[in-house]
Short mmCIF file of all heavy atoms in Angstrom, two decimals:
data_model
loop_
_atom_site.label_atom_id
_atom_site.label_comp_id
_atom_site.label_asym_id
_atom_site.label_seq_id
_atom_site.Cartn_x
_atom_site.Cartn_y
_atom_site.Cartn_z
N MET A 1 -7.81 17.21 -7.23
CA MET A 1 -7.37 15.97 -7.69
C MET A 1 -7.56 14.89 -6.62
O MET A 1 -7.37 15.13 -5.40
CB MET A 1 -5.83 16.14 -7.88
CG MET A 1 -5.15 14.88 -8.45
SD MET A 1 -3.52 15.26 -9.19
CE MET A 1 -2.51 14.87 -7.79
N ASP A 2 -8.05 13.73 -7.12
CA ASP A 2 -8.25 12.61 -6.10
C ASP A 2 -7.00 11.96 -5.69
O ASP A 2 -5.95 11.97 -6.44
CB ASP A 2 -9.09 11.53 -6.84
CG ASP A 2 -10.57 11.99 -7.19
OD1 ASP A 2 -11.07 12.86 -6.25
OD2 ASP A 2 -11.12 11.58 -8.10
N ASP A 3 -7.01 11.47 -4.46
CA ASP A 3 -5.79 10.69 -3.98
C ASP A 3 -5.70 9.40 -4.71
O ASP A 3 -6.65 8.68 -5.00
CB ASP A 3 -5.92 10.50 -2.49
CG ASP A 3 -5.81 11.79 -1.68
OD1 ASP A 3 -5.05 12.67 -2.19
OD2 ASP A 3 -6.37 11.83 -0.62
N ASP A 4 -4.46 9.03 -5.02
CA ASP A 4 -4.22 7.74 -5.60
C ASP A 4 -4.39 6.71 -4.62
O ASP A 4 -3.66 6.68 -3.49
CB ASP A 4 -2.73 7.78 -6.16
CG ASP A 4 -2.34 6.56 -6.96
OD1 ASP A 4 -3.03 5.46 -6.75
OD2 ASP A 4 -1.49 6.61 -7.83
N PRO A 5 -5.24 5.72 -4.73
CA PRO A 5 -5.48 4.68 -3.69
C PRO A 5 -4.25 3.82 -3.50
O PRO A 5 -4.10 3.36 -2.35
CB PRO A 5 -6.62 3.85 -4.35
CG PRO A 5 -6.83 4.29 -5.71
CD PRO A 5 -6.09 5.57 -5.95
N ARG A 6 -3.40 3.71 -4.47
CA ARG A 6 -2.17 2.95 -4.19
C ARG A 6 -1.29 3.66 -3.16
O ARG A 6 -0.75 2.99 -2.35
CB ARG A 6 -1.32 2.75 -5.53
CG ARG A 6 -2.18 1.81 -6.50
CD ARG A 6 -1.37 1.85 -7.81
NE ARG A 6 -1.50 3.24 -8.29
CZ ARG A 6 -0.80 3.64 -9.40
NH1 ARG A 6 0.02 2.79 -10.03
NH2 ARG A 6 -0.93 4.83 -9.83
N LEU A 7 -1.22 4.94 -3.20
CA LEU A 7 -0.49 5.75 -2.24
C LEU A 7 -1.16 5.64 -0.87
O LEU A 7 -0.42 5.68 0.14
CB LEU A 7 -0.28 7.15 -2.71
CG LEU A 7 0.54 7.30 -4.08
CD1 LEU A 7 0.54 8.75 -4.48
CD2 LEU A 7 1.83 6.75 -3.91
N ILE A 8 -2.39 5.73 -0.87
CA ILE A 8 -3.10 5.66 0.43
C ILE A 8 -2.87 4.32 1.01
O ILE A 8 -2.53 4.25 2.29
CB ILE A 8 -4.66 5.86 0.28
CG1 ILE A 8 -4.88 7.33 -0.14
CG2 ILE A 8 -5.36 5.55 1.49
CD1 ILE A 8 -6.29 7.64 -0.61
N ALA A 9 -2.94 3.23 0.36
CA ALA A 9 -2.61 1.91 0.80
C ALA A 9 -1.28 1.75 1.31
O ALA A 9 -1.01 1.19 2.43
CB ALA A 9 -2.96 0.82 -0.22
N ALA A 10 -0.31 2.37 0.57
CA ALA A 10 1.18 2.31 1.00
C ALA A 10 1.30 3.05 2.34
O ALA A 10 2.05 2.75 3.23
CB ALA A 10 1.98 2.85 -0.04
N ALA A 11 0.61 4.16 2.50
CA ALA A 11 0.66 5.02 3.72
C ALA A 11 0.06 4.28 4.90
O ALA A 11 0.58 4.47 6.06
CB ALA A 11 -0.02 6.36 3.47
N ASP A 12 -0.97 3.45 4.69
CA ASP A 12 -1.53 2.65 5.79
C ASP A 12 -0.82 1.39 6.05
O ASP A 12 -1.26 0.61 6.91
CB ASP A 12 -2.97 2.38 5.39
CG ASP A 12 -3.81 3.60 5.44
OD1 ASP A 12 -3.50 4.60 6.03
OD2 ASP A 12 -4.92 3.63 4.73
N ALA A 13 0.28 1.03 5.32
CA ALA A 13 0.98 -0.15 5.48
C ALA A 13 1.53 -0.30 6.88
O ALA A 13 1.84 0.71 7.46
CB ALA A 13 2.01 -0.32 4.43
N ARG A 14 1.67 -1.51 7.31
CA ARG A 14 2.14 -1.79 8.63
C ARG A 14 3.64 -1.31 8.79
O ARG A 14 4.43 -1.34 7.83
CB ARG A 14 2.16 -3.30 8.77
CG ARG A 14 2.62 -3.84 10.06
CD ARG A 14 2.64 -5.39 10.02
NE ARG A 14 2.67 -5.84 11.27
CZ ARG A 14 2.04 -6.79 11.81
NH1 ARG A 14 1.17 -7.49 11.07
NH2 ARG A 14 2.20 -7.25 13.05
N ASP A 15 3.96 -0.80 10.01
CA ASP A 15 5.27 -0.37 10.25
C ASP A 15 6.19 -1.55 10.39
O ASP A 15 6.04 -2.35 11.38
CB ASP A 15 5.34 0.54 11.47
CG ASP A 15 6.78 1.00 11.91
OD1 ASP A 15 7.70 0.88 11.01
OD2 ASP A 15 6.95 1.34 13.06
N LEU A 16 7.22 -1.75 9.55
CA LEU A 16 8.10 -2.89 9.63
C LEU A 16 9.48 -2.44 10.04
O LEU A 16 10.49 -3.17 9.80
CB LEU A 16 8.04 -3.57 8.28
CG LEU A 16 6.72 -4.05 7.80
CD1 LEU A 16 6.86 -4.61 6.41
CD2 LEU A 16 6.16 -5.02 8.67
N SER A 17 9.65 -1.37 10.69
CA SER A 17 11.04 -0.90 11.06
C SER A 17 11.44 -1.45 12.30
O SER A 17 12.61 -1.19 12.75
CB SER A 17 11.00 0.63 11.08
OG SER A 17 10.08 1.08 12.03
N SER A 18 10.54 -2.14 13.08
CA SER A 18 11.07 -2.83 14.31
C SER A 18 10.22 -4.17 14.47
O SER A 18 9.11 -4.25 14.05
CB SER A 18 10.87 -1.85 15.49
OG SER A 18 9.42 -1.66 15.69
N CYS A 19 10.77 -5.07 15.25
CA CYS A 19 10.19 -6.40 15.40
C CYS A 19 9.16 -6.30 16.48
O CYS A 19 9.41 -5.78 17.60
CB CYS A 19 11.29 -7.28 15.80
SG CYS A 19 10.71 -8.99 16.26
N GLU A 20 7.98 -6.78 16.23
CA GLU A 20 6.85 -6.79 17.19
C GLU A 20 7.11 -7.77 18.39
O GLU A 20 6.52 -7.64 19.40
CB GLU A 20 5.57 -7.06 16.57
CG GLU A 20 5.56 -8.49 15.94
CD GLU A 20 4.26 -8.73 15.23
OE1 GLU A 20 3.68 -7.87 14.48
OE2 GLU A 20 3.70 -9.90 15.34
N VAL A 21 7.99 -8.74 18.27
CA VAL A 21 8.31 -9.74 19.20
C VAL A 21 9.40 -9.26 20.15
O VAL A 21 9.24 -9.30 21.40
CB VAL A 21 8.67 -11.05 18.55
CG1 VAL A 21 9.09 -12.06 19.63
CG2 VAL A 21 7.56 -11.58 17.67
N CYS A 22 10.57 -8.78 19.61
CA CYS A 22 11.67 -8.50 20.46
C CYS A 22 12.07 -6.95 20.46
O CYS A 22 12.96 -6.55 21.19
CB CYS A 22 12.91 -9.31 20.10
SG CYS A 22 13.61 -8.92 18.42
N GLY A 23 11.49 -6.16 19.62
CA GLY A 23 11.63 -4.70 19.56
C GLY A 23 12.84 -4.35 18.78
O GLY A 23 13.29 -3.20 18.70
N ALA A 24 13.52 -5.30 18.15
CA ALA A 24 14.80 -5.01 17.36
C ALA A 24 14.51 -4.03 16.28
O ALA A 24 13.44 -4.20 15.57
CB ALA A 24 15.45 -6.24 16.84
N SER A 25 15.45 -3.20 15.91
CA SER A 25 15.26 -2.30 14.76
C SER A 25 15.55 -3.14 13.46
O SER A 25 16.55 -3.98 13.49
CB SER A 25 16.32 -1.19 14.82
OG SER A 25 16.26 -0.37 13.73
N ILE A 26 14.71 -3.00 12.47
CA ILE A 26 14.92 -3.69 11.23
C ILE A 26 15.12 -2.73 10.07
O ILE A 26 14.34 -1.95 9.81
CB ILE A 26 13.67 -4.60 11.03
CG1 ILE A 26 13.55 -5.63 12.11
CG2 ILE A 26 13.84 -5.36 9.61
CD1 ILE A 26 12.24 -6.42 12.08
N GLU A 27 16.24 -2.91 9.44
CA GLU A 27 16.64 -2.04 8.28
C GLU A 27 16.16 -2.77 7.08
O GLU A 27 16.11 -3.97 6.89
CB GLU A 27 18.08 -1.91 8.17
CG GLU A 27 18.66 -1.02 9.40
CD GLU A 27 18.06 0.38 9.50
OE1 GLU A 27 17.89 0.98 8.38
OE2 GLU A 27 17.72 0.89 10.61
N PRO A 28 15.73 -1.98 5.99
CA PRO A 28 15.46 -2.61 4.69
C PRO A 28 16.71 -3.13 4.11
O PRO A 28 17.81 -2.82 4.34
CB PRO A 28 14.93 -1.44 3.90
CG PRO A 28 15.42 -0.17 4.50
CD PRO A 28 15.62 -0.45 5.93
N GLU A 29 16.40 -4.14 3.21
CA GLU A 29 17.54 -4.68 2.40
C GLU A 29 18.17 -3.61 1.57
O GLU A 29 17.60 -2.63 1.20
CB GLU A 29 16.95 -5.77 1.52
CG GLU A 29 16.43 -6.97 2.23
CD GLU A 29 17.47 -7.75 2.95
OE1 GLU A 29 18.51 -8.20 2.40
OE2 GLU A 29 17.35 -8.07 4.16
N PRO A 30 19.46 -3.77 1.12
CA PRO A 30 19.99 -2.69 0.26
C PRO A 30 19.34 -2.51 -1.05
O PRO A 30 18.65 -3.46 -1.58
CB PRO A 30 21.41 -3.33 0.03
CG PRO A 30 21.60 -4.34 1.06
CD PRO A 30 20.25 -4.90 1.46
N PRO A 31 19.50 -1.32 -1.60
CA PRO A 31 18.79 -1.03 -2.85
C PRO A 31 19.07 -2.06 -3.91
O PRO A 31 20.30 -2.42 -4.09
CB PRO A 31 19.28 0.28 -3.26
CG PRO A 31 19.68 0.98 -1.93
CD PRO A 31 20.22 -0.22 -1.09
N ASP A 32 18.08 -2.56 -4.65
CA ASP A 32 18.28 -3.63 -5.63
C ASP A 32 17.29 -3.46 -6.76
O ASP A 32 17.05 -4.48 -7.43
CB ASP A 32 18.19 -5.04 -5.00
CG ASP A 32 16.83 -5.23 -4.25
OD1 ASP A 32 16.00 -4.42 -4.29
OD2 ASP A 32 16.75 -6.33 -3.70
N GLY A 33 16.57 -2.39 -6.88
CA GLY A 33 15.62 -2.27 -7.91
C GLY A 33 14.22 -2.36 -7.47
O GLY A 33 13.23 -2.00 -8.16
N PHE A 34 13.98 -2.84 -6.23
CA PHE A 34 12.61 -2.94 -5.67
C PHE A 34 12.25 -1.72 -4.91
O PHE A 34 13.18 -1.02 -4.41
CB PHE A 34 12.53 -4.26 -4.78
CG PHE A 34 12.47 -5.49 -5.54
CD1 PHE A 34 13.71 -6.22 -5.71
CD2 PHE A 34 11.34 -5.92 -6.14
CE1 PHE A 34 13.76 -7.40 -6.51
CE2 PHE A 34 11.42 -7.22 -6.90
CZ PHE A 34 12.59 -7.84 -7.08
N THR A 35 11.07 -1.57 -4.50
CA THR A 35 10.60 -0.43 -3.77
C THR A 35 11.22 -0.51 -2.30
O THR A 35 11.57 -1.65 -1.83
CB THR A 35 9.15 -0.27 -3.63
OG1 THR A 35 8.60 -1.36 -2.87
CG2 THR A 35 8.46 -0.12 -4.98
N ARG A 36 11.32 0.56 -1.56
CA ARG A 36 11.76 0.61 -0.20
C ARG A 36 10.84 -0.27 0.66
O ARG A 36 11.42 -1.13 1.41
CB ARG A 36 11.75 2.06 0.32
CG ARG A 36 12.20 2.08 1.79
CD ARG A 36 12.42 3.45 2.26
NE ARG A 36 12.60 3.53 3.71
CZ ARG A 36 13.56 3.07 4.42
NH1 ARG A 36 14.47 2.37 3.88
NH2 ARG A 36 13.51 3.22 5.76
N TYR A 37 9.51 -0.29 0.35
CA TYR A 37 8.69 -1.11 1.21
C TYR A 37 8.93 -2.61 0.89
O TYR A 37 9.04 -3.43 1.91
CB TYR A 37 7.18 -0.87 0.91
CG TYR A 37 6.22 -1.62 1.74
CD1 TYR A 37 6.07 -1.31 3.09
CD2 TYR A 37 5.58 -2.60 1.27
CE1 TYR A 37 5.29 -2.04 3.96
CE2 TYR A 37 4.63 -3.39 2.11
CZ TYR A 37 4.54 -3.10 3.46
OH TYR A 37 3.78 -3.80 4.29
N ALA A 38 9.13 -3.00 -0.30
CA ALA A 38 9.40 -4.40 -0.57
C ALA A 38 10.77 -4.82 0.03
O ALA A 38 10.93 -5.95 0.62
CB ALA A 38 9.56 -4.61 -2.17
N ARG A 39 11.75 -3.87 0.00
CA ARG A 39 12.97 -4.22 0.78
C ARG A 39 12.86 -4.34 2.16
O ARG A 39 13.46 -5.10 2.93
CB ARG A 39 14.04 -3.15 0.33
CG ARG A 39 14.43 -3.41 -1.18
CD ARG A 39 15.64 -2.41 -1.52
NE ARG A 39 15.14 -0.99 -1.59
CZ ARG A 39 15.55 0.00 -0.79
NH1 ARG A 39 16.45 -0.27 0.04
NH2 ARG A 39 15.06 1.25 -0.84
N GLN A 40 11.93 -3.52 2.81
CA GLN A 40 11.69 -3.58 4.19
C GLN A 40 11.00 -4.87 4.61
O GLN A 40 11.25 -5.47 5.59
CB GLN A 40 10.78 -2.38 4.61
CG GLN A 40 10.61 -2.24 6.14
CD GLN A 40 11.85 -1.70 6.87
OE1 GLN A 40 12.45 -0.75 6.34
NE2 GLN A 40 12.26 -2.38 7.92
N VAL A 41 10.01 -5.24 3.74
CA VAL A 41 9.34 -6.60 4.07
C VAL A 41 10.38 -7.68 3.99
O VAL A 41 10.44 -8.55 4.82
CB VAL A 41 8.27 -6.81 2.89
CG1 VAL A 41 7.86 -8.33 2.94
CG2 VAL A 41 7.12 -5.91 3.14
N ALA A 42 11.35 -7.58 2.99
CA ALA A 42 12.38 -8.68 2.99
C ALA A 42 13.25 -8.66 4.23
O ALA A 42 13.51 -9.78 4.75
CB ALA A 42 13.27 -8.51 1.75
N GLY A 43 13.59 -7.46 4.65
CA GLY A 43 14.45 -7.40 5.91
C GLY A 43 13.67 -7.87 7.03
O GLY A 43 14.17 -8.55 8.05
N TYR A 44 12.34 -7.58 7.19
CA TYR A 44 11.50 -8.00 8.31
C TYR A 44 11.44 -9.57 8.21
O TYR A 44 11.62 -10.16 9.39
CB TYR A 44 10.09 -7.40 8.07
CG TYR A 44 9.20 -7.54 9.20
CD1 TYR A 44 9.36 -6.65 10.33
CD2 TYR A 44 8.11 -8.43 9.29
CE1 TYR A 44 8.41 -6.63 11.37
CE2 TYR A 44 7.23 -8.42 10.31
CZ TYR A 44 7.37 -7.56 11.37
OH TYR A 44 6.53 -7.50 12.56
N LEU A 45 11.20 -10.21 7.13
CA LEU A 45 11.12 -11.63 7.07
C LEU A 45 12.47 -12.31 7.37
O LEU A 45 12.52 -13.26 7.98
CB LEU A 45 10.54 -12.10 5.72
CG LEU A 45 9.05 -11.71 5.50
CD1 LEU A 45 8.69 -12.11 4.12
CD2 LEU A 45 8.20 -12.36 6.56
N ASP A 46 13.57 -11.67 6.89
CA ASP A 46 14.85 -12.22 7.17
C ASP A 46 15.16 -12.21 8.67
O ASP A 46 15.79 -13.12 9.29
CB ASP A 46 15.94 -11.43 6.52
CG ASP A 46 16.09 -11.70 5.01
OD1 ASP A 46 15.48 -12.70 4.56
OD2 ASP A 46 16.83 -10.95 4.37
N HIS A 47 14.71 -11.07 9.33
CA HIS A 47 14.90 -10.95 10.80
C HIS A 47 14.22 -12.10 11.42
O HIS A 47 14.67 -12.80 12.38
CB HIS A 47 14.43 -9.66 11.33
CG HIS A 47 14.29 -9.58 12.88
ND1 HIS A 47 15.39 -9.49 13.62
CD2 HIS A 47 13.19 -9.75 13.72
CE1 HIS A 47 15.00 -9.53 14.88
NE2 HIS A 47 13.69 -9.71 14.96
N PHE A 48 12.90 -12.36 11.08
CA PHE A 48 12.15 -13.44 11.73
C PHE A 48 12.79 -14.77 11.40
O PHE A 48 12.78 -15.72 12.31
CB PHE A 48 10.70 -13.41 11.30
CG PHE A 48 9.87 -12.49 12.18
CD1 PHE A 48 9.81 -11.14 11.94
CD2 PHE A 48 9.12 -13.04 13.22
CE1 PHE A 48 9.11 -10.31 12.74
CE2 PHE A 48 8.38 -12.16 14.04
CZ PHE A 48 8.36 -10.85 13.77
N ALA A 49 13.28 -15.03 10.25
CA ALA A 49 13.95 -16.28 9.96
C ALA A 49 15.10 -16.54 10.82
O ALA A 49 15.36 -17.67 11.19
CB ALA A 49 14.30 -16.28 8.47
N GLU A 50 15.91 -15.48 11.11
CA GLU A 50 17.03 -15.64 11.90
C GLU A 50 16.79 -15.55 13.41
O GLU A 50 17.36 -16.39 14.13
CB GLU A 50 18.12 -14.51 11.57
CG GLU A 50 18.63 -14.57 10.20
CD GLU A 50 19.49 -13.37 9.78
OE1 GLU A 50 19.78 -12.60 10.68
OE2 GLU A 50 19.72 -13.27 8.54
N ALA A 51 16.04 -14.71 13.83
CA ALA A 51 15.85 -14.43 15.28
C ALA A 51 14.62 -15.29 15.94
O ALA A 51 14.56 -15.49 17.10
CB ALA A 51 15.65 -13.02 15.63
N HIS A 52 13.53 -15.51 15.09
CA HIS A 52 12.36 -16.17 15.55
C HIS A 52 11.98 -17.26 14.59
O HIS A 52 10.84 -17.16 13.98
CB HIS A 52 11.17 -15.15 15.72
CG HIS A 52 11.65 -13.87 16.50
ND1 HIS A 52 11.92 -13.87 17.77
CD2 HIS A 52 11.90 -12.66 15.95
CE1 HIS A 52 12.33 -12.59 18.17
NE2 HIS A 52 12.28 -11.86 17.03
N PRO A 53 12.77 -18.27 14.42
CA PRO A 53 12.50 -19.28 13.32
C PRO A 53 11.23 -20.09 13.50
O PRO A 53 10.72 -20.68 12.56
CB PRO A 53 13.66 -20.16 13.35
CG PRO A 53 14.21 -19.98 14.75
CD PRO A 53 14.01 -18.60 15.09
N ASP A 54 10.58 -20.08 14.70
CA ASP A 54 9.34 -20.83 14.91
C ASP A 54 8.12 -19.97 14.84
O ASP A 54 6.98 -20.47 15.02
CB ASP A 54 9.38 -21.59 16.21
CG ASP A 54 10.55 -22.62 16.29
OD1 ASP A 54 10.83 -23.16 15.20
OD2 ASP A 54 11.09 -22.84 17.43
N HIS A 55 8.28 -18.62 14.50
CA HIS A 55 7.18 -17.77 14.48
C HIS A 55 6.24 -18.10 13.28
O HIS A 55 6.77 -18.37 12.22
CB HIS A 55 7.61 -16.30 14.30
CG HIS A 55 6.56 -15.29 14.69
ND1 HIS A 55 5.62 -14.97 13.73
CD2 HIS A 55 6.33 -14.59 15.81
CE1 HIS A 55 4.74 -14.02 14.25
NE2 HIS A 55 5.17 -13.90 15.50
N PRO A 56 4.91 -18.02 13.52
CA PRO A 56 4.02 -18.43 12.43
C PRO A 56 4.00 -17.46 11.17
O PRO A 56 3.55 -17.85 10.08
CB PRO A 56 2.62 -18.36 13.06
CG PRO A 56 2.84 -17.80 14.39
CD PRO A 56 4.23 -17.80 14.75
N ILE A 57 4.56 -16.29 11.32
CA ILE A 57 4.75 -15.39 10.20
C ILE A 57 5.49 -16.06 9.07
O ILE A 57 5.24 -15.75 7.84
CB ILE A 57 5.36 -14.00 10.53
CG1 ILE A 57 5.17 -12.99 9.44
CG2 ILE A 57 6.85 -14.17 10.82
CD1 ILE A 57 5.57 -11.59 9.78
N LEU A 58 6.36 -16.88 9.36
CA LEU A 58 7.24 -17.60 8.30
C LEU A 58 6.41 -18.63 7.56
O LEU A 58 6.78 -18.94 6.34
CB LEU A 58 8.45 -18.13 8.87
CG LEU A 58 9.40 -17.15 9.58
CD1 LEU A 58 10.44 -17.87 10.35
CD2 LEU A 58 10.01 -16.21 8.54
N ASP A 59 5.41 -19.08 8.06
CA ASP A 59 4.53 -20.11 7.38
C ASP A 59 3.54 -19.43 6.43
O ASP A 59 3.14 -19.98 5.38
CB ASP A 59 3.74 -20.93 8.37
CG ASP A 59 4.67 -21.87 9.20
OD1 ASP A 59 5.72 -22.28 8.65
OD2 ASP A 59 4.38 -22.06 10.38
N ALA A 60 3.04 -18.24 6.80
CA ALA A 60 2.00 -17.49 5.98
C ALA A 60 2.17 -16.00 6.17
O ALA A 60 1.36 -15.32 6.81
CB ALA A 60 0.65 -17.94 6.49
N PRO A 61 3.21 -15.47 5.59
CA PRO A 61 3.50 -14.00 5.80
C PRO A 61 2.37 -13.07 5.26
O PRO A 61 2.07 -12.03 5.84
CB PRO A 61 4.78 -13.68 5.07
CG PRO A 61 4.96 -14.91 4.17
CD PRO A 61 4.26 -16.07 4.71
N GLU A 62 1.65 -13.56 4.20
CA GLU A 62 0.64 -12.68 3.68
C GLU A 62 -0.53 -12.46 4.66
O GLU A 62 -1.27 -11.43 4.64
CB GLU A 62 -0.01 -13.35 2.40
CG GLU A 62 -0.66 -14.66 2.59
CD GLU A 62 0.33 -15.74 2.57
OE1 GLU A 62 1.52 -15.72 2.42
OE2 GLU A 62 -0.14 -17.00 2.78
N GLY A 63 -0.71 -13.32 5.74
CA GLY A 63 -1.61 -13.09 6.73
C GLY A 63 -1.24 -12.04 7.80
O GLY A 63 -2.04 -11.56 8.53
N TYR A 64 0.02 -11.68 7.81
CA TYR A 64 0.57 -10.80 8.76
C TYR A 64 0.81 -9.47 8.21
O TYR A 64 0.82 -8.39 8.75
CB TYR A 64 1.84 -11.33 9.41
CG TYR A 64 1.63 -12.40 10.31
CD1 TYR A 64 1.51 -13.69 9.97
CD2 TYR A 64 1.44 -12.14 11.68
CE1 TYR A 64 1.28 -14.81 10.82
CE2 TYR A 64 1.27 -13.12 12.62
CZ TYR A 64 1.07 -14.53 12.14
OH TYR A 64 0.87 -15.48 13.06
N LEU A 65 1.31 -9.36 6.87
CA LEU A 65 1.84 -8.21 6.21
C LEU A 65 0.75 -7.60 5.28
O LEU A 65 -0.05 -8.21 4.70
CB LEU A 65 3.02 -8.43 5.45
CG LEU A 65 4.17 -9.08 6.28
CD1 LEU A 65 5.35 -9.55 5.40
CD2 LEU A 65 4.68 -8.18 7.31
#
């Protein structure tokens, strides 16, 4: 059986469990019907908005994630 390319892409996704700037641990947002990865992205962006409001990731997150 061939590997599902969506699962391979998800496995290769960037680790968003800690901040690359300050090293803080980042938890995913609470369960709300979205995937764990989507909730982790939301938590990652929330952390940057609160802790690093001038970081360029907030201007163009698709270039980083």
Side-chain angles (χ1 to χ4, degrees):
M1 181 164 97
D2 291 329
D3 289 329
D4 185 335
R6 294 172 295 171
L7 297 177
I8 293 170
D12 291 340
R14 180 183 197 138
D15 176 22
L16 303 177
S17 63
S18 63
C19 176
E20 64 185 39
V21 176
C22 68
S25 177
I26 300 173
E27 295 298 320
E29 295 291 308
D32 59 1
F34 289 96
T35 66
R36 177 170 168 68
Y37 184 73
R39 292 183 290 113
Q40 188 72 48
V41 168
Y44 195 77
L45 292 175
D46 284 351
H47 168 77
F48 272 84
E50 293 172 13
H52 312 291
D54 296 328
H55 195 281
I57 193 173
L58 298 172
D59 294 330
E62 63 278 358
Y64 288 86
L65 305 173

